[in-house]
Coordinates of all heavy atoms in Angstrom, one line a residue:
M1 N 77.8 51.9 93.2 CA 76.7 52.2 94.2 C 76.8 51.1 95.2 O 77.0 49.9 94.9 CB 75.4 52.2 93.4 CG 74.3 52.5 94.2 SD 73.0 53.2 93.2 CE 72.3 54.3 94.3
T2 N 76.5 51.4 96.4 CA 76.5 50.4 97.5 C 75.2 49.6 97.5 O 74.2 50.1 97.1 CB 76.7 51.1 98.9 OG1 75.6 52.0 99.1 CG2 78.0 51.9 98.9
D3 N 75.3 48.5 98.1 CA 74.1 47.6 98.2 C 73.3 48.2 99.3 O 73.7 48.8 100.3 CB 74.6 46.2 98.6 CG 75.3 45.5 97.4 OD1 75.0 45.9 96.2 OD2 76.2 44.7 97.6
F4 N 72.0 47.8 99.3 CA 71.1 48.2 100.3 C 71.5 47.5 101.6 O 71.8 46.3 101.6 CB 69.6 47.8 99.9 CG 68.6 48.5 100.7 CD1 68.3 49.8 100.6 CD2 67.9 47.7 101.7 CE1 67.3 50.4 101.4 CE2 67.0 48.3 102.5 CZ 66.7 49.6 102.4
P5 N 71.5 48.2 102.7 CA 71.9 47.6 104.0 C 71.0 46.4 104.4 O 69.8 46.5 104.2 CB 71.7 48.8 105.0 CG 71.6 50.0 104.2 CD 71.1 49.7 102.9
K6 N 71.6 45.4 104.9 CA 70.9 44.2 105.2 C 70.2 44.2 106.6 O 69.2 43.5 106.8 CB 71.8 43.0 105.2 CG 72.3 42.7 103.7 CD 73.2 41.5 103.7 CE 73.5 41.2 102.3 NZ 74.5 41.4 101.6
N7 N 70.7 45.1 107.5 CA 70.1 45.2 108.8 C 70.2 46.6 109.3 O 70.8 47.5 108.7 CB 70.8 44.2 109.8 CG 72.2 44.4 109.9 OD1 72.7 45.6 109.9 ND2 73.0 43.4 110.1
A8 N 69.6 46.8 110.5 CA 69.5 48.2 111.0 C 70.9 48.7 111.3 O 71.2 49.9 111.2 CB 68.7 48.2 112.3
E9 N 71.8 47.9 111.8 CA 73.2 48.3 112.2 C 73.9 48.8 110.9 O 74.6 49.9 111.0 CB 73.9 47.2 112.9 CG 75.3 47.7 113.4 CD 75.2 48.8 114.4 OE1 74.2 48.8 115.2 OE2 76.1 49.7 114.4
E10 N 73.8 48.1 109.8 CA 74.4 48.6 108.6 C 73.8 49.9 108.1 O 74.5 50.7 107.6 CB 74.3 47.5 107.5 CG 75.2 46.3 107.7 CD 75.1 45.3 106.5 OE1 74.5 45.7 105.5 OE2 75.7 44.2 106.7
A11 N 72.5 50.0 108.3 CA 71.8 51.2 107.8 C 72.3 52.4 108.7 O 72.6 53.5 108.1 CB 70.3 51.1 108.0
R12 N 72.5 52.2 110.0 CA 73.0 53.3 110.8 C 74.4 53.7 110.5 O 74.8 54.9 110.4 CB 72.9 52.9 112.3 CG 71.5 53.0 112.9 CD 71.6 52.8 114.4 NE 70.3 52.1 114.8 CZ 70.1 50.8 114.9 NH1 71.1 50.0 114.8 NH2 68.9 50.3 115.3
T13 N 75.2 52.7 110.2 CA 76.6 52.9 109.9 C 76.7 53.7 108.5 O 77.4 54.7 108.4 CB 77.4 51.6 109.7 OG1 77.3 50.9 111.0 CG2 78.8 51.9 109.4
D14 N 75.9 53.3 107.6 CA 75.8 53.9 106.3 C 75.3 55.4 106.4 O 75.9 56.3 105.8 CB 74.9 53.1 105.3 CG 74.9 53.7 103.9 OD1 76.0 54.0 103.4 OD2 73.8 53.9 103.3
R15 N 74.3 55.6 107.3 CA 73.8 56.9 107.5 C 74.9 57.8 108.1 O 75.1 59.0 107.7 CB 72.6 56.8 108.5 CG 72.1 58.2 108.9 CD 71.2 58.1 110.1 NE 72.0 57.7 111.2 CZ 71.6 57.2 112.3 NH1 70.3 57.0 112.5 NH2 72.4 56.9 113.3
D16 N 75.6 57.3 109.1 CA 76.7 58.1 109.8 C 77.8 58.4 108.8 O 78.3 59.6 108.8 CB 77.2 57.3 111.0 CG 76.2 57.2 112.1 OD1 75.2 57.9 112.1 OD2 76.3 56.3 113.0
V17 N 78.2 57.5 108.0 CA 79.2 57.8 107.0 C 78.8 58.8 106.0 O 79.5 59.8 105.7 CB 79.6 56.5 106.3 CG1 80.5 56.8 105.1 CG2 80.3 55.5 107.2
T18 N 77.5 58.7 105.6 CA 77.0 59.7 104.6 C 76.9 61.1 105.3 O 77.3 62.1 104.6 CB 75.6 59.3 104.1 OG1 75.7 58.0 103.5 CG2 75.0 60.3 103.1
R19 N 76.5 61.2 106.5 CA 76.5 62.4 107.2 C 77.9 63.1 107.3 O 78.1 64.3 107.1 CB 75.9 62.3 108.6 CG 74.5 62.2 108.7 CD 73.9 62.1 110.1 NE 72.5 62.0 110.1 CZ 71.8 61.7 111.1 NH1 72.4 61.4 112.3 NH2 70.5 61.6 111.1
E20 N 78.9 62.2 107.6 CA 80.3 62.7 107.7 C 80.7 63.3 106.4 O 81.3 64.4 106.3 CB 81.2 61.6 108.1 CG 81.1 61.1 109.5 CD 81.9 61.9 110.5 OE1 83.0 62.5 110.0 OE2 81.6 62.0 111.7
E21 N 80.4 62.6 105.3 CA 80.8 63.0 104.0 C 80.1 64.3 103.6 O 80.7 65.2 103.0 CB 80.6 61.9 102.9 CG 81.4 60.7 103.1 CD 81.0 59.6 102.1 OE1 79.9 59.6 101.5 OE2 81.8 58.6 102.1
L22 N 78.8 64.4 103.9 CA 78.1 65.6 103.6 C 78.6 66.8 104.4 O 78.7 67.9 103.9 CB 76.6 65.4 103.9 CG 75.9 64.6 102.8 CD1 74.4 64.3 103.3 CD2 75.8 65.3 101.5
T23 N 79.0 66.6 105.7 CA 79.5 67.6 106.5 C 80.8 68.1 105.9 O 81.0 69.4 105.9 CB 79.7 67.1 108.0 OG1 78.4 66.7 108.5 CG2 80.3 68.2 108.8
E24 N 81.7 67.2 105.5 CA 83.0 67.6 105.0 C 82.8 68.4 103.7 O 83.4 69.4 103.4 CB 83.8 66.4 104.7 CG 84.3 65.8 106.0 CD 85.1 64.4 105.7 OE1 85.3 64.1 104.5 OE2 85.4 63.8 106.7
T25 N 81.8 68.0 102.8 CA 81.5 68.7 101.6 C 81.0 70.1 101.8 O 81.4 71.0 101.2 CB 80.5 67.8 100.7 OG1 81.1 66.6 100.5 CG2 80.2 68.5 99.4
L26 N 80.1 70.2 102.8 CA 79.5 71.5 103.1 C 80.5 72.4 103.7 O 80.5 73.6 103.4 CB 78.3 71.3 104.0 CG 77.0 70.7 103.4 CD1 76.0 70.4 104.4 CD2 76.5 71.6 102.3
D27 N 81.4 71.9 104.5 CA 82.5 72.7 105.1 C 83.4 73.3 104.0 O 83.8 74.4 104.0 CB 83.3 71.9 106.1 CG 82.6 71.7 107.4 OD1 81.6 72.4 107.7 OD2 83.0 70.8 108.2
A28 N 83.7 72.4 103.0 CA 84.6 72.8 101.9 C 83.9 73.9 101.1 O 84.5 74.9 100.7 CB 85.0 71.6 101.1
L29 N 82.6 73.7 100.8 CA 81.9 74.6 100.0 C 81.8 76.0 100.8 O 81.9 77.0 100.2 CB 80.5 74.1 99.7 CG 80.4 73.1 98.6 CD1 79.0 72.5 98.5 CD2 80.8 73.6 97.2
G30 N 81.5 75.9 102.1 CA 81.4 77.1 102.9 C 82.7 77.9 102.8 O 82.7 79.1 102.7
K31 N 83.9 77.2 102.9 CA 85.1 77.9 102.8 C 85.3 78.6 101.4 O 85.9 79.7 101.3 CB 86.3 76.9 103.1 CG 86.4 76.6 104.6 CD 87.5 75.6 104.8 CE 87.4 75.1 106.3 NZ 88.4 74.1 106.5
K32 N 84.9 77.9 100.4 CA 85.0 78.5 99.0 C 84.1 79.7 98.9 O 84.4 80.6 98.1 CB 84.8 77.4 98.0 CG 85.9 76.5 97.8 CD 85.6 75.6 96.6 CE 86.8 74.7 96.3 NZ 86.8 74.0 95.0
M33 N 83.0 79.6 99.5 CA 82.0 80.7 99.4 C 82.3 81.9 100.3 O 81.8 83.0 100.1 CB 80.6 80.2 99.7 CG 80.1 79.1 98.8 SD 79.8 79.6 97.1 CE 78.3 80.5 97.3
D34 N 83.2 81.8 101.2 CA 83.5 82.8 102.1 C 84.6 83.7 101.5 O 85.8 83.6 101.8 CB 84.1 82.2 103.5 CG 84.2 83.3 104.5 OD1 83.9 84.5 104.3 OD2 84.6 82.9 105.6
V35 N 84.1 84.6 100.6 CA 85.0 85.5 99.8 C 85.7 86.4 100.7 O 86.9 86.7 100.5 CB 84.2 86.2 98.8 CG1 85.0 87.2 98.0 CG2 83.5 85.2 97.8
K36 N 85.1 87.0 101.8 CA 85.7 87.9 102.6 C 87.0 87.4 103.3 O 88.0 88.0 103.3 CB 84.7 88.4 103.7 CG 85.3 89.5 104.6 CD 84.2 90.0 105.5 CE 84.8 91.1 106.4 NZ 83.8 91.6 107.4
T37 N 86.8 86.2 103.8 CA 88.0 85.5 104.5 C 89.1 85.2 103.5 O 90.3 85.4 103.7 CB 87.6 84.2 105.2 OG1 86.6 84.6 106.1 CG2 88.7 83.5 105.8
R38 N 88.7 84.8 102.3 CA 89.7 84.5 101.2 C 90.4 85.7 100.8 O 91.7 85.7 100.6 CB 89.1 83.8 100.0 CG 88.6 82.4 100.4 CD 87.8 81.7 99.3 NE 88.6 81.6 98.1 CZ 88.1 81.5 96.9 NH1 86.8 81.3 96.7 NH2 88.8 81.4 95.8
V39 N 89.7 86.8 100.7 CA 90.4 88.1 100.3 C 91.3 88.6 101.4 O 92.4 89.0 101.1 CB 89.3 89.2 100.0 CG1 89.9 90.5 99.9 CG2 88.6 88.8 98.7
N40 N 90.8 88.5 102.6 CA 91.7 88.9 103.8 C 92.9 88.0 103.8 O 94.0 88.5 104.1 CB 90.9 88.8 105.1 CG 89.9 89.9 105.2 OD1 90.1 91.0 104.6 ND2 88.9 89.7 106.1
D41 N 92.8 86.7 103.6 CA 94.0 85.8 103.6 C 95.0 86.2 102.5 O 96.2 86.3 102.7 CB 93.6 84.4 103.5 CG 92.9 83.8 104.7 OD1 92.9 84.5 105.8 OD2 92.2 82.8 104.6
N42 N 94.4 86.5 101.3 CA 95.2 86.9 100.2 C 95.9 88.2 100.5 O 97.1 88.4 100.2 CB 94.4 87.0 98.9 CG 95.2 87.1 97.7 OD1 96.4 86.9 97.7 ND2 94.6 87.5 96.6
L43 N 95.2 89.2 101.1 CA 95.7 90.5 101.4 C 96.9 90.3 102.4 O 97.9 90.9 102.3 CB 94.6 91.4 102.0 CG 95.1 92.7 102.5 CD1 95.7 93.6 101.4 CD2 94.0 93.5 103.2
D44 N 96.6 89.5 103.4 CA 97.7 89.2 104.5 C 98.9 88.7 103.8 O 100.0 89.1 104.2 CB 97.2 88.3 105.6 CG 96.2 89.0 106.5 OD1 96.1 90.2 106.5 OD2 95.5 88.2 107.2
A45 N 98.8 87.8 102.9 CA 99.9 87.2 102.2 C 100.7 88.2 101.4 O 101.9 88.3 101.5 CB 99.5 86.0 101.3
K46 N 100.0 89.1 100.7 CA 100.6 90.1 99.9 C 101.3 91.2 100.8 O 102.4 91.6 100.5 CB 99.6 90.8 99.0 CG 99.0 90.0 98.0 CD 100.0 89.5 97.0 CE 99.3 88.7 95.9 NZ 100.2 88.1 95.0
V47 N 100.7 91.5 101.9 CA 101.3 92.5 102.8 C 102.5 91.9 103.5 O 103.6 92.6 103.6 CB 100.2 92.9 103.9 CG1 100.9 93.7 105.0 CG2 99.2 93.8 103.3
D48 N 102.5 90.6 103.8 CA 103.7 90.0 104.4 C 104.8 89.9 103.4 O 106.0 90.2 103.7 CB 103.4 88.5 104.8 CG 102.5 88.5 106.1 OD1 102.4 89.5 106.8 OD2 101.8 87.5 106.3
E49 N 104.5 89.7 102.1 CA 105.5 89.7 101.0 C 106.1 91.1 100.9 O 107.4 91.2 100.9 CB 104.9 89.3 99.7 CG 104.8 87.8 99.5 CD 104.2 87.6 98.1 OE1 104.5 88.3 97.1 OE2 103.4 86.6 98.0
A50 N 105.3 92.1 100.9 CA 105.8 93.5 100.7 C 106.6 93.9 101.9 O 107.6 94.5 101.8 CB 104.6 94.4 100.6
S51 N 106.1 93.5 103.1 CA 106.9 93.8 104.3 C 108.3 93.2 104.3 O 109.3 93.8 104.7 CB 106.1 93.3 105.5 OG 106.8 93.7 106.7
A52 N 108.4 91.9 103.9 CA 109.6 91.3 103.8 C 110.6 92.0 102.8 O 111.8 92.2 103.1 CB 109.5 89.8 103.4
K53 N 110.0 92.4 101.7 CA 110.9 93.0 100.6 C 111.3 94.4 101.1 O 112.5 94.8 100.9 CB 110.1 93.2 99.3 CG 109.9 91.9 98.6 CD 109.2 92.0 97.3 CE 109.0 90.7 96.6 NZ 108.3 90.8 95.4
I54 N 110.4 95.1 101.8 CA 110.8 96.4 102.3 C 111.8 96.3 103.4 O 112.8 97.1 103.4 CB 109.5 97.1 102.9 CG1 108.5 97.5 101.9 CG2 109.9 98.4 103.7 CD1 108.8 98.6 101.0
S55 N 111.7 95.3 104.3 CA 112.7 95.1 105.3 C 114.1 94.9 104.8 O 115.1 95.2 105.4 CB 112.3 93.9 106.2 OG 111.1 94.3 106.9
E56 N 114.2 94.2 103.6 CA 115.5 94.0 103.0 C 116.1 95.2 102.5 O 117.3 95.3 102.4 CB 115.3 92.9 101.9 CG 114.9 91.5 102.3 CD 114.6 90.6 101.2 OE1 114.7 91.1 100.0 OE2 114.2 89.5 101.4
K57 N 115.3 96.2 102.0 CA 115.8 97.3 101.3 C 116.0 98.6 102.2 O 116.8 99.4 101.8 CB 114.8 97.8 100.2 CG 114.4 96.7 99.2 CD 115.5 96.4 98.3 CE 115.1 95.3 97.3 NZ 116.2 94.8 96.5
V58 N 115.4 98.7 103.3 CA 115.5 99.9 104.1 C 116.1 99.6 105.5 O 116.2 98.4 105.9 CB 114.1 100.6 104.3 CG1 113.5 101.0 102.9 CG2 113.1 99.7 105.0
S59 N 116.3 100.6 106.2 CA 116.9 100.5 107.6 C 115.8 99.9 108.5 O 114.6 99.9 108.2 CB 117.3 101.8 108.1 OG 116.2 102.7 108.3
E60 N 116.3 99.4 109.6 CA 115.4 98.7 110.6 C 114.3 99.6 111.1 O 113.1 99.2 111.2 CB 116.2 98.0 111.7 CG 115.3 97.2 112.6 CD 114.5 96.1 111.9 OE1 115.0 95.5 111.0 OE2 113.3 95.9 112.4
P61 N 114.6 100.9 111.5 CA 113.5 101.8 112.0 C 112.4 102.0 110.9 O 111.3 102.0 111.2 CB 114.2 103.1 112.3 CG 115.6 102.7 112.6 CD 115.9 101.5 111.7
A62 N 112.9 102.2 109.7 CA 111.9 102.4 108.6 C 111.1 101.1 108.4 O 109.8 101.2 108.1 CB 112.6 102.8 107.3
A63 N 111.7 100.0 108.5 CA 111.0 98.7 108.3 C 109.9 98.5 109.4 O 108.8 98.1 109.2 CB 111.9 97.6 108.3
E64 N 110.3 98.9 110.6 CA 109.4 98.8 111.8 C 108.2 99.8 111.6 O 107.0 99.4 111.9 CB 110.1 99.2 113.1 CG 109.3 99.1 114.3 CD 108.7 97.7 114.5 OE1 109.3 96.7 114.1 OE2 107.5 97.6 115.0
K65 N 108.4 101.0 111.1 CA 107.3 101.9 110.8 C 106.4 101.3 109.7 O 105.2 101.4 109.8 CB 107.8 103.2 110.3 CG 108.5 104.1 111.3 CD 107.5 104.6 112.3 CE 108.1 105.5 113.3 NZ 107.2 105.9 114.3
F66 N 107.0 100.7 108.7 CA 106.2 100.0 107.7 C 105.3 98.9 108.3 O 104.1 98.8 108.0 CB 107.0 99.5 106.5 CG 106.3 98.9 105.4 CD1 105.6 99.7 104.5 CD2 106.1 97.5 105.3 CE1 104.9 99.1 103.4 CE2 105.3 96.9 104.3 CZ 104.8 97.8 103.4
R67 N 105.9 98.1 109.1 CA 105.2 97.0 109.8 C 104.0 97.6 110.6 O 102.9 97.0 110.7 CB 106.1 96.2 110.6 CG 106.9 95.2 109.8 CD 107.6 94.1 110.7 NE 108.7 94.7 111.5 CZ 110.0 94.8 111.0 NH1 110.2 94.4 109.8 NH2 110.9 95.4 111.7
Q68 N 104.3 98.7 111.3 CA 103.2 99.3 112.1 C 102.1 99.8 111.2 O 100.9 99.6 111.5 CB 103.7 100.5 112.9 CG 104.6 100.1 114.0 CD 105.3 101.3 114.7 OE1 105.2 102.4 114.2 NE2 106.0 101.0 115.8
G69 N 102.4 100.3 110.0 CA 101.4 100.7 109.1 C 100.6 99.6 108.5 O 99.4 99.7 108.4
T70 N 101.3 98.5 108.3 CA 100.6 97.3 107.8 C 99.6 96.7 108.9 O 98.5 96.3 108.5 CB 101.5 96.2 107.3 OG1 102.3 95.8 108.4 CG2 102.4 96.6 106.2
D71 N 100.0 96.8 110.1 CA 99.1 96.4 111.2 C 97.9 97.3 111.2 O 96.8 96.8 111.5 CB 99.8 96.5 112.5 CG 100.9 95.4 112.7 OD1 100.8 94.4 111.9 OD2 101.8 95.5 113.5
V72 N 98.0 98.6 111.0 CA 96.9 99.5 111.0 C 96.0 99.1 109.8 O 94.7 99.1 109.9 CB 97.3 101.0 110.8 CG1 96.2 101.9 110.5 CG2 98.0 101.4 112.1
V73 N 96.5 98.8 108.6 CA 95.7 98.5 107.5 C 95.0 97.2 107.8 O 93.8 97.0 107.4 CB 96.6 98.3 106.2 CG1 95.8 97.7 105.1 CG2 97.2 99.7 105.8
R74 N 95.7 96.2 108.4 CA 95.0 94.9 108.7 C 93.9 95.1 109.7 O 92.8 94.5 109.6 CB 96.0 93.9 109.2 CG 96.9 93.3 108.2 CD 97.8 92.4 108.8 NE 98.7 91.8 107.8 CZ 99.8 91.2 108.0 NH1 100.3 91.2 109.2 NH2 100.5 90.7 107.0
A75 N 94.0 96.0 110.6 CA 93.0 96.2 111.6 C 91.8 96.9 111.1 O 90.7 96.7 111.5 CB 93.6 97.0 112.8
N76 N 92.0 97.8 110.1 CA 90.9 98.6 109.6 C 91.1 98.8 108.1 O 91.4 100.0 107.7 CB 90.8 99.9 110.4 CG 89.4 100.4 110.4 OD1 88.5 99.9 109.8 ND2 89.2 101.6 111.0
P77 N 90.9 97.8 107.2 CA 91.3 98.0 105.8 C 90.3 98.9 105.0 O 90.7 99.5 104.1 CB 91.3 96.6 105.3 CG 90.4 95.8 106.2 CD 90.5 96.5 107.5
L78 N 89.0 98.9 105.3 CA 88.1 99.5 104.5 C 88.3 101.0 104.3 O 88.4 101.5 103.2 CB 86.7 99.3 105.0 CG 85.5 99.8 104.1 CD1 85.6 99.1 102.8 CD2 84.2 99.5 104.8
P79 N 88.5 101.8 105.4 CA 88.8 103.2 105.2 C 90.1 103.5 104.4 O 90.2 104.4 103.6 CB 89.0 103.8 106.6 CG 88.2 102.8 107.5 CD 88.4 101.5 106.8
I80 N 91.1 102.6 104.6 CA 92.4 102.8 103.9 C 92.1 102.6 102.4 O 92.6 103.4 101.6 CB 93.4 101.8 104.4 CG1 93.7 102.0 105.9 CG2 94.7 101.9 103.6 CD1 94.3 103.3 106.3
F81 N 91.4 101.5 102.0 CA 91.2 101.3 100.6 C 90.2 102.3 100.0 O 90.4 102.7 98.9 CB 90.7 99.9 100.4 CG 91.8 98.8 100.7 CD1 91.6 97.9 101.6 CD2 93.0 98.9 100.0 CE1 92.6 96.9 101.8 CE2 94.0 98.0 100.2 CZ 93.8 97.0 101.1
A82 N 89.3 102.8 100.8 CA 88.4 103.8 100.3 C 89.1 105.1 100.0 O 88.9 105.7 99.0 CB 87.2 104.1 101.3
G83 N 90.1 105.4 100.9 CA 90.9 106.6 100.7 C 91.8 106.5 99.5 O 91.9 107.4 98.7
A84 N 92.4 105.3 99.3 CA 93.2 105.0 98.2 C 92.4 105.1 96.9 O 92.9 105.7 95.9 CB 93.9 103.7 98.3
L85 N 91.2 104.6 96.9 CA 90.3 104.7 95.7 C 90.0 106.1 95.4 O 90.0 106.5 94.2 CB 89.1 103.8 95.9 CG 88.1 103.8 94.8 CD1 88.8 103.2 93.5 CD2 86.9 103.0 95.1
A86 N 89.6 106.9 96.4 CA 89.3 108.3 96.2 C 90.5 109.0 95.7 O 90.3 109.9 94.8 CB 88.8 108.9 97.5
L87 N 91.7 108.7 96.1 CA 92.9 109.4 95.6 C 93.1 109.1 94.2 O 93.4 110.0 93.3 CB 94.1 109.0 96.5 CG 95.4 109.6 96.0 CD1 95.4 111.1 96.2 CD2 96.5 109.0 96.9
L88 N 92.9 107.8 93.8 CA 93.1 107.4 92.4 C 92.0 108.1 91.5 O 92.4 108.6 90.4 CB 93.0 105.9 92.2 CG 94.1 105.1 92.8 CD1 93.8 103.6 92.8 CD2 95.4 105.4 92.1
V89 N 90.8 108.2 92.0 CA 89.8 108.9 91.2 C 90.1 110.3 91.0 O 90.0 110.9 89.9 CB 88.4 108.7 91.8 CG1 87.3 109.6 91.2 CG2 87.9 107.2 91.7
A90 N 90.6 111.0 92.1 CA 90.9 112.4 92.0 C 92.1 112.6 91.0 O 92.0 113.5 90.2 CB 91.3 112.9 93.4
I91 N 93.1 111.8 91.1 CA 94.2 111.9 90.2 C 93.7 111.7 88.7 O 94.1 112.5 87.8 CB 95.3 110.9 90.5 CG1 96.0 111.2 91.8 CG2 96.3 110.7 89.4 CD1 96.9 110.2 92.4
R92 N 92.9 110.7 88.5 CA 92.4 110.5 87.1 C 91.6 111.7 86.6 O 91.7 112.2 85.5 CB 91.5 109.3 87.1 CG 91.0 109.0 85.7 CD 90.5 107.6 85.5 NE 89.9 107.5 84.2 CZ 90.2 106.6 83.4 NH1 91.0 105.6 83.7 NH2 89.6 106.6 82.2
L93 N 90.7 112.3 87.5 CA 89.9 113.5 87.1 C 90.9 114.7 86.8 O 90.6 115.4 85.8 CB 88.9 113.8 88.2 CG 87.8 112.9 88.4 CD1 87.0 113.3 89.6 CD2 86.9 112.8 87.1
I94 N 91.9 114.8 87.6 CA 92.8 116.0 87.3 C 93.6 115.7 86.0 O 93.7 116.7 85.2 CB 93.8 116.1 88.5 CG1 93.1 116.6 89.8 CG2 95.0 117.0 88.1 CD1 93.9 116.5 91.0
L95 N 94.0 114.5 85.8 CA 94.7 114.2 84.5 C 93.8 114.4 83.3 O 94.2 114.9 82.3 CB 95.3 112.8 84.6 CG 96.5 112.6 85.5 CD1 96.9 111.2 85.5 CD2 97.7 113.5 85.2
R96 N 92.6 114.0 83.5 CA 91.6 114.1 82.4 C 91.3 115.6 82.1 O 91.2 116.0 80.9 CB 90.3 113.4 82.7 CG 89.3 113.4 81.6 CD 88.0 112.7 81.9 NE 88.2 111.3 81.8 CZ 87.4 110.4 82.2 NH1 86.2 110.7 82.7 NH2 87.6 109.1 82.0
K97 N 91.2 116.4 83.2 CA 90.9 117.8 83.0 C 92.1 118.5 82.3 O 91.9 119.4 81.4 CB 90.7 118.5 84.4 CG 90.2 119.9 84.3 CD 89.9 120.4 85.7 CE 89.4 121.9 85.6 NZ 89.0 122.4 86.8
R98 N 93.3 118.1 82.7 CA 94.5 118.7 82.1 C 94.7 118.4 80.6 O 95.1 119.2 79.8 CB 95.8 118.3 82.9 CG 96.0 119.0 84.2 CD 97.3 118.7 84.8 NE 97.4 119.4 86.1 CZ 98.5 119.2 86.9 NH1 99.4 118.3 86.5 NH2 98.5 119.8 88.0
S99 N 94.3 117.1 80.3 CA 94.5 116.7 78.9 C 93.5 117.3 78.0 O 93.7 117.5 76.8 CB 94.4 115.2 78.8 OG 93.2 114.7 79.1
S100 N 92.3 117.7 78.5 CA 91.3 118.3 77.7 C 91.5 119.8 77.5 O 90.9 120.4 76.7 CB 89.9 118.1 78.3 OG 89.7 118.8 79.6
S101 N 92.4 120.4 78.4 CA 92.6 121.8 78.3 C 93.6 122.2 77.2 O 94.4 121.5 76.7 CB 93.2 122.4 79.6 OG 92.4 122.1 80.6

């Protein structure tokens, strides 16, 4: 623990250092609490990985089409993921109906 400041100048310096530390701490906490940005960053990383792997396996025109598709997903991910979720639910319902027959 630090000693109590002996004069006003030390008190101001101590106050300013404490404010800097608190600002850095709050910024770090804010970044951790920003789930949407963290998810988007993670999604971007995964899409970049997939794009790189696809580019290695397919022809250049097909890889370019895939990159265009990933740009569409990045620009508007919610409808894409909602559609994918709806498709998965529909497939599961169809499979469940077939297995009960």
Side-chain angles (χ1 to χ4, degrees):
M1 183 158 213
T2 61
D3 294 331
F4 192 76
K6 294 182 171 101
N7 58 38
E9 187 59 38
E10 284 183 13
R12 281 188 213 97
T13 303
D14 186 46
R15 176 198 64 199
D16 293 342
V17 169
T18 302
R19 281 184 180 168
E20 290 272 335
E21 290 172 351
L22 284 172
T23 300
E24 290 172 7
T25 302
L26 288 173
D27 287 343
L29 285 173
K31 287 178 184 175
K32 284 189 175 189
M33 299 293 285
D34 191 1
V35 175
K36 184 177 180 180
T37 300
R38 290 175 58 200
V39 167
N40 285 339
D41 290 345
N42 191 16
L43 175 65
D44 285 343
K46 296 294 182 188
V47 168
D48 289 340
E49 279 180 37
S51 182
K53 287 181 182 178
I54 294 286
S55 295
E56 293 172 2
K57 305 285 182 191
V58 298
S59 66
E60 186 55 37
E64 182 59 31
K65 289 289 184 185
F66 183 79
R67 281 192 288 276
Q68 289 172 354
T70 59
D71 290 341
V72 169
V73 170
R74 284 181 179 157
N76 206 0
L78 188 59
I80 302 295
F81 289 121
L85 180 62
L87 180 64
L88 290 173
V89 168
I91 290 171
R92 180 162 177 134
L93 289 173
I94 290 169
L95 291 175
R96 184 180 282 175
K97 186 175 181 179
R98 284 186 180 175
S99 66
S100 66
S101 299

